């Protein structure tokens, strides 16, 4: 009922024993489920998740409506990360490639969300038809319409601002010091702009790959397997799941 689901219309499919799921590497995910042969359509999936990740952009969550292909799956993923004090992303994979995405800043809506390593958060998702609702400590922090396409333009980082030259009002030692500081700031700016250009190139290339994968994606995945997920963008992710349960909506 806390998630707007009628408890008289459905059933408990499973209550999972405590399990730790780990992944390590660049864009690597591992998914575990002791009831992996159960394919579901509409459902509520929840767990208390304790996380330990090397980098904030890695995290823990769920795989859902998966076709079970280990090498190149068609599936959705909901991942909570420690980035920006509590960040969620949604990915749709088409034959193992990201074909859609959306992200949310959960900490803005849920003050209880603890982003630090070693913390435990209660996470739940409600999946009905083309809609996914994402909850943190029973607070709605994100919603996805599976039929919506990815954004047509990528979100780019803020471009570094070029430093201003010394004021023409300065003279003598003040002008000399100002010129020295300006030269140093200009060198730092050149380094920052070089890193910025590299980031823009990478993000633009990755976004183009997402759009290309989306065009070949076979519509919305209506049913599939679910799993408890560890995702590493880089380094390692260790995700401990407790009190995990799956409710099938009828």
């Amino acid at each position: 009922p806390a998630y707007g689901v009628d408890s008289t219309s459905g059933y408990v499919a499973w209550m999972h024993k405590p399990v730790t799921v780990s992944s390590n590497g660049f864009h690597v995910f591992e998914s575990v489920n002791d009831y992996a042969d159960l394919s579901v359509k509409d459902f509520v999936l929840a767990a208390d998740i304790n996380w330990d990740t090397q980098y904030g952009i890695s995290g823990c969550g769920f795989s859902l409506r998966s076709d079970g292909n280990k090498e190149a799956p068609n599936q959705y993923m909901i991942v909570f990360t420690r980035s920006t004090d509590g960040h969620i992303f949604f990915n749709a994979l088409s034959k193992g490639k990201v074909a859609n995405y959306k992200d949310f800043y959960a900490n803005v809506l849920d003050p209880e969300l603890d982003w630090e390593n070693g913390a435990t958060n209660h996470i739940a998702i409600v999946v009905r038809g083309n809609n996914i609702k994402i909850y943190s400590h029973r607070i709605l922090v994100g919603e996805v319409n599976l039929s919506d396409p990815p954004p047509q333009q990528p979100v780019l980082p803020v471009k570094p601002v070029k430093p201003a030259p010394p004021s023409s009002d300065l003279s003598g030692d003040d002008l000399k010091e100002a010129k020295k500081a300006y030269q140093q700031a200009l060198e730092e700016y050149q380094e920052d702009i070089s890193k910025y250009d590299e980031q823009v190139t990478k993000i633009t290339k990755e976004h183009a790959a997402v759009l290309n994968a989306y065009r070949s994606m076979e519509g919305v995945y209506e049913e599939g397997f679910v799993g408890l997920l560890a995702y590493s963008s880089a380094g390692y992710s260790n995700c401990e799941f407790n009190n995990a349960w799956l409710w099938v909506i009828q």
Side-chain angles (χ1 to χ4, degrees):
Y3 304 114
V5 176
D6 183 0
S7 59
T8 65
S9 182
Y11 60 92
V12 176
W14 49 253
M15 299 176 70
H16 209 285
K17 68 181 181 183
V19 63
T20 297
V21 187
S22 300
S23 62
N24 198 331
F26 178 67
H27 291 334
V28 174
F29 63 86
E30 297 292 339
S31 183
V32 168
N33 184 357
D34 288 349
Y35 309 90
D37 58 342
L38 178 63
S39 179
V40 292
K41 183 177 181 180
D42 295 343
F43 56 89
V44 185
L45 178 58
D48 296 325
I49 305 177
N50 180 283
W51 54 16
D52 172 27
T53 66
Q54 188 171 356
Y55 299 105
I57 51 178
S58 300
C60 311
F62 307 115
S63 60
L64 47 143
R65 290 187 178 171
S66 174
D67 64 358
N69 188 319
K70 293 291 186 181
E71 302 301 324
N74 294 321
Q75 67 179 30
Y76 301 116
M77 299 194 310
I78 301 290
V79 181
F80 275 68
T81 78
R82 296 188 299 109
S83 175
T84 61
D85 298 347
H87 180 243
I88 313 167
F89 69 82
F90 157 82
N91 272 357
L93 300 187
S94 176
K95 298 178 181 177
K97 297 180 180 179
V98 178
N100 205 344
Y101 69 92
K102 193 170 185 180
D103 57 356
F104 310 91
Y105 294 91
N107 64 310
V108 176
L109 298 171
D110 177 17
E112 290 187 47
L113 181 60
D114 191 341
W115 63 272
E116 295 187 11
N117 264 337
T120 298
N121 294 287
H122 182 73
I123 307 302
I125 57 172
V126 178
V127 182
R128 282 184 173 133
N130 289 358
N131 181 267
I132 301 174
K133 290 184 176 180
I134 307 165
Y135 293 84
S136 174
H137 300 106
R138 297 184 176 84
I139 296 174
L140 181 65
V141 292
E143 190 166 0
V144 178
N145 186 329
L146 298 176
S147 60
D148 286 346
Q152 294 305 297
Q153 298 295 329
V155 177
L156 300 177
V158 177
K159 189 173 183 178
V161 178
K162 189 174 183 178
S167 171
S168 58
D169 296 334
L170 298 175
S171 62
D173 289 342
D174 289 340
L175 180 59
K176 184 184 293 186
E177 288 297 320
K179 284 184 176 179
K180 182 179 179 181
Y182 171 69
Q183 187 59 39
Q184 182 178 349
L186 199 60
E187 291 174 1
E188 293 175 354
Y189 167 76
Q190 293 296 342
E191 292 180 6
D192 290 342
I193 203 71
S194 178
K195 292 177 181 178
Y196 169 82
D197 289 340
E198 289 179 6
Q199 285 182 309
V200 168
T201 299
K202 180 182 178 183
I203 291 172
T204 303
K205 183 178 179 180
E206 290 178 347
H207 184 74
V210 170
L211 294 179
N212 186 57
Y214 178 76
R215 283 190 285 268
S216 63
M217 187 176 175
E218 297 177 0
V220 172
Y221 308 142
E222 296 182 352
E223 185 174 337
F225 308 107
V226 300
L228 311 176
L229 181 81
Y231 171 80
S232 56
S233 178
Y236 68 81
S237 286
N238 296 318
C239 305
E240 180 183 327
F241 294 85
N242 289 288
N243 304 313
W245 51 265
L246 175 70
W247 172 272
V248 173
I249 299 173
Q250 291 182 319

